Amino acid sequence: MHKLWQQKKKEAEAHKTNQRGSPARIRLQKELGELETTPDLEVVATDLMHFSLIYRPQEGHYHGGEFRFKFDISESYPHEAPKVLCKQTIFHPNIDPEGHICLNILREEWNPVLNIQAVIFGLQLLFLEPNKDDPLNKDAAEMMAKDRQEFIRTVRSSMRGRSIGGIHYSNVLVAPESSYGSY
Amino acid sequence: MSPTAAVEPTTTAALSSPQVPCIAGVDRYLKLRAAHVESFELADESGKTPQDLLDEAKILVIGAGGLGCEILKNLVMSGFKHIDVIDMDTIDISNLNRQFLFRKRDVGRPKAEVAAEFLRRRAPDVNITAHYKRIQDMSEEFYLGFTLIVCGLDSIDARRWINAFIYSLAEQHGFEGFKPIVDGGTEGFKGNVRVILPMQNACFECGLDLFSPKTTYPICTIANTPRLPEHCIEWASVLEWPRVFPDKKLDGDDPDHINWLVDQATARAAQFSISGITYSLTQGVVKNIIPAIASTNAIIAAVCTNEALKLVTSCNPYLDNYMFYSGDDGVYSHTFPYAQNESCMVCGHKRKSMAVAPDMALEELIELLKEDPSLQLKSPSLTVDSTNLYFQRPKALEERTRPNLEKKIGDLFASGSTLTVTDPVLPTSLQVTVVFA
């Protein structure tokens, strides 16, 4: 009798795990399964809640680089924004050497109607048009405002993995720079 | 937690025993009720009077905090006889100003247990069971045992969880699993109550957009141009803590952690000539605390209890389905039927069941789904129990799940499993229960 009871309990347990995923997970399944990605983007995901994004800007100062981001999404999504960090040390007015990103929709302007796609667009925009008025890396922003040419040179040099101002930047180049033409 | 079988069962008599104070109030209340609610004597088609229904109802109260204490007290005073209360928290000294079932000597003890003890002392004829547990730790059978659930929670995560769980109970067990939820929430001078009838009206998730996300500040402001004490506290908690303690998670309830933040934030505030960093502000910012107002809790809890009473006894029509209260500027309240959200991740999905052979390949199953003319799926992605079966996108995930297409479904999941299918044409998901024929 006791055995039978245990058996029933086990069956019930098995049934319980059979429940569908959490609302956050279902939403991510939908978002990722329908993500519009262009050839310059690659999403590397095995776990829907924790994945990487690789972005290779096709124009702008960061052209030729390959930038990696880590997305961490909690069960509170979409009430809470995804947590996104840049995994490399890069020279960028809106990204600090630790990888924190100053993007309004990742923090103060996050809203549950936004989604992963919107965050990816936001990141792309940051690389195409770095914003000197919202600096996270103050030195980079000041340089960008004062001397555009020096800023571009510093960006290119940091992308090759040089040390600038005591900070060792990651080499983010995907191919020899010459193949990217006129810089 | 002993039941009160030895005590004289009639309410008035039990409460009139000399050890129990406050009798006069209860006695007068019961007489008033008898005078005003004559319909309490009328039986429905099942032969039960509202009084019978009230006596039999088993109520689960989730949360024994600010709202929970009020709700519990109100339920007991309204004549409910079987109440369970669940709360995973212990009593903090800062709770005592409004969580009136607790005393200073109770600090550190489980809220659910202390609340139950208090109520048992005041109303010995009521069966109160305390659960010092997380709602996620209770079994399906536990939840199936209740007539109705009243939530007095402050965490959106917990409310989303219970909403999705109770919804799935109704979906799987039909009428047996149908548990109305009366959900109360307060934030400062504002509050709301909603009556959620699973699968019948808007659920909690339908209105998730109503909640403003937690206050955050631009990270560039925190890092470079702080103007407020909050900016300095966020600098310490968001930027400094992970840098200094990369492997330690910040705990907003650990005084050592908060003190460390206070020191860091104070030093930074001094640099930028900002004042106003205190321990309580720091903890408030870290834990996103909005000061609780006792009167808001009292009003919202009263509405919750009233709705519970109406739902259980059918003595009057219940709330349809959302009530909003604001005491910010005068007293304002508004009631309206909140519409179901067709793209709700909990109640907006479609359902389908299929009986197929276990040796069918996953690819064939997907083709079968796509052939269903009522669905018109274009490019479905499938998961089961959080395991990725097949994803159309992104590329890396498609490549990784592609080998599953050739596998037999019997090797991928068990008979009776429910697959979650998403597709661009579906506002949310399709839940497909697959039984092996």
Side-chain angles (χ1 to χ4, degrees):
Chain A
M1 188 65 190
H2 182 69
K3 234 181 175 173
L4 189 73
W5 175 244
Q6 289 296 325
Q7 172 78 30
K8 282 277 161 217
K9 214 170 157 184
K10 250 190 200 150
E11 278 175 24
E13 281 300 312
H15 190 65
K16 212 170 118 185
T17 56
N18 234 339
Q19 277 165 359
R20 58 215 179 83
S22 65
R25 214 167 254 283
I26 296 176
R27 173 148 159 170
L28 280 169
Q29 175 180 338
K30 185 164 170 58
E31 286 193 28
L32 290 184
E34 296 162 23
L35 204 61
E36 297 284 341
T37 50
T38 39
D40 54 343
L41 290 169
E42 202 178 310
V43 174
V44 185
T46 46
D47 179 350
L48 301 179
M49 315 288 276
H50 309 278
F51 58 87
S52 301
L53 171 76
I54 301 172
Y55 171 46
R56 303 182 194 93
Q58 296 300 300
E59 51 189 295
H61 308 320
Y62 293 90
H63 176 211
E66 180 177 87
F67 300 93
R68 291 165 180 270
F69 304 91
K70 188 166 149 267
F71 280 64
D72 284 304
I73 297 152
S74 74
E75 287 290 341
S76 309
Y77 182 79
H79 181 63
E80 259 179 32
K83 289 198 168 58
V84 186
L85 277 179
C86 179
K87 292 205 286 194
Q88 298 138 318
T89 309
I90 64 169
F91 185 76
H92 190 294
N94 312 108
I95 299 175
D96 72 12
E98 274 95 44
H100 298 109
I101 302 165
C102 190
L103 180 63
N104 57 354
I105 57 168
L106 281 177
R107 287 181 65 82
E108 74 280 7
E109 277 170 51
W110 172 256
N111 186 309
V113 304
L114 294 171
N115 54 24
I116 302 296
Q117 186 93 57
V119 171
I120 294 178
F121 280 146
L123 291 174
Q124 284 179 295
L125 191 67
L126 275 190
F127 281 82
L128 298 178
E129 287 179 32
N131 175 358
K132 62 177 169 19
D133 301 322
D134 265 338
L136 190 55
N137 181 338
K138 253 200 307 200
D139 298 339
E142 272 168 22
M143 194 188 288
M144 188 179 167
K146 277 194 196 131
D147 186 343
R148 191 81 176 194
Q149 286 312 314
E150 196 199 345
F151 172 70
I152 295 171
R153 275 196 301 277
T154 313
V155 167
R156 301 311 298 182
S157 142
S158 71
M159 286 169 65
R160 279 186 225 110
R162 305 275 160 83
S163 284
I164 302 156
I167 297 170
H168 183 74
Y169 290 96
S170 309
N171 183 344
V172 296
L173 293 182
V174 268
E177 193 166 358
S178 57
S179 68
Y180 282 91
S182 59
Y183 269 103
Chain B
M1 224 172 288
S2 71
T4 50
V7 180
E8 182 71 41
T10 55
T11 319
T12 32
L15 290 174
S16 307
S17 65
Q19 302 94 306
V20 190
C22 91
I23 318 305
V26 175
D27 198 31
R28 196 192 60 179
Y29 174 71
L30 290 175
K31 275 182 192 149
L32 269 176
R33 189 180 68 188
H36 287 292
V37 193
E38 276 177 29
S39 65
F40 259 72
E41 310 300 321
L42 298 174
D44 65 4
E45 56 272 33
S46 65
K48 285 178 180 168
T49 63
Q51 186 64 59
D52 296 336
L53 294 165
L54 186 61
D55 290 344
E56 288 168 11
K58 291 188 167 58
I59 310 295
L60 173 64
V61 177
I62 302 181
L67 269 175
C69 281
E70 287 277 359
I71 291 169
L72 286 164
K73 171 262 290 172
N74 291 352
L75 287 172
V76 167
M77 302 292 272
S78 304
F80 284 92
K81 295 287 157 54
H82 306 280
I83 300 169
D84 280 46
V85 53
I86 179 168
D87 195 307
M88 59 180 277
D89 244 353
T90 52
I91 297 162
D92 186 83
I93 189 128
S94 66
N95 301 148
L96 302 182
N97 68 336
R98 62 192 186 284
Q99 300 177 19
F100 51 82
L101 301 179
F102 312 143
R103 297 292 176 267
K104 205 167 176 184
R105 61 174 177 273
D106 302 320
V107 168
R109 293 191 56 212
K111 288 185 177 180
E113 287 173 12
V114 177
E117 284 166 17
F118 191 106
L119 294 166
R120 273 185 221 120
R121 281 198 303 276
R122 294 289 272 259
D125 67 320
V126 180
N127 255 309
I128 300 177
T129 312
H131 307 273
Y132 173 39
K133 289 267 178 63
R134 283 158 27 99
I135 48 175
Q136 291 88 343
D137 293 339
M138 306 310 279
S139 68
E140 202 170 285
E141 289 68 35
F142 173 77
Y143 288 103
L144 283 171
F146 295 99
T147 317
L148 178 128
I149 296 167
V150 186
C151 291
L153 288 164
D154 57 358
S155 140
I156 289 184
D157 286 348
R159 288 155 91 186
R160 283 178 79 187
W161 187 88
I162 194 73
N163 175 63
F165 182 81
I166 294 303
Y167 187 88
S168 73
L169 276 192
E171 204 173 31
Q172 288 172 29
H173 297 273
F175 184 72
E176 290 296 302
F178 178 73
K179 310 291 166 196
I181 303 175
V182 179
D183 177 69
T186 65
E187 206 177 85
F189 284 104
K190 292 194 188 71
N192 74 292
V193 177
R194 51 170 86 187
V195 169
I196 299 168
L197 306 175
M199 305 184 75
Q200 315 247 347
N201 64 8
C203 75
F204 183 77
E205 191 86 11
C206 287
L208 192 67
D209 299 357
L210 293 178
F211 294 92
S212 47
K214 109 182 231 260
T215 316
T216 47
Y217 304 95
I219 202 154
C220 18
T221 306
I222 300 171
N224 292 315
T225 49
R227 295 180 306 277
L228 300 170
E230 286 86 348
H231 295 155
C232 301
I233 295 165
E234 286 250 307
W235 173 81
S237 63
V238 176
L239 298 174
E240 282 302 281
W241 181 274
R243 196 178 63 78
V244 179
F245 307 108
D247 302 317
K248 198 151 70 173
K249 203 172 175 293
L250 180 62
D251 177 0
D253 290 315
D254 186 330
D256 293 341
H257 291 194
I258 298 294
N259 278 321
W260 187 87
L261 294 179
V262 171
D263 292 343
Q264 301 295 315
T266 309
R268 184 165 174 86
Q271 270 177 37
F272 289 89
S273 318
I274 296 167
S275 60
I277 309 272
T278 60
Y279 185 93
S280 68
L281 181 71
T282 305
Q283 193 176 36
V285 170
V286 170
K287 293 182 71 186
N288 196 31
I289 297 173
I290 291 147
I293 310 285
S295 54
T296 313
N297 282 343
I299 290 165
I300 294 301
V303 178
C304 286
T305 312
N306 207 11
E307 290 311 317
L309 183 81
K310 291 189 288 181
L311 282 160
V312 164
T313 64
S314 301
C315 68
N316 257 307
Y318 50 78
L319 174 69
D320 179 23
N321 53 40
Y322 193 107
M323 180 268 196
F324 170 82
Y325 161 81
S326 172
D328 266 333
D329 190 9
V331 173
Y332 173 79
S333 87
H334 182 51
T335 298
F336 60 97
Y338 194 88
Q340 243 173 313
N341 178 352
E342 66 147 14
S343 57
C344 170
M345 289 293 156
V346 169
C347 71
H349 62 271
K350 293 189 176 183
R351 275 174 294 273
K352 179 182 170 72
S353 30
M354 296 170 94
V356 289
D359 59 356
M360 174 182 260
L362 182 65
E363 191 162 27
E364 295 172 67
L365 182 82
I366 293 176
E367 279 313 308
L368 261 183
L369 280 171
K370 282 164 100 172
E371 281 165 18
D372 185 332
S374 68
L375 296 169
Q376 304 283 339
L377 300 186
K378 274 193 190 143
S379 56
S381 297
L382 288 78
T383 58
V384 62
D385 298 344
S386 319
T387 305
N388 304 333
L389 288 176
Y390 182 67
F391 269 72
Q392 304 278 350
R393 286 170 176 179
K395 199 164 143 252
L397 197 51
E398 195 279 332
E399 281 165 7
R400 188 178 277 265
T401 52
R402 201 185 300 153
N404 284 344
L405 288 177
E406 290 168 16
K407 289 187 188 157
K408 292 174 182 166
I409 54 171
D411 295 335
L412 290 168
F413 50 83
S415 182
S417 296
T418 300
L419 315 188
T420 296
V421 180
T422 55
D423 187 283
V425 304
L426 299 170
T428 63
S429 71
L430 168 72
Q431 300 292 323
V432 186
T433 305
V434 182
V435 179
F436 296 154

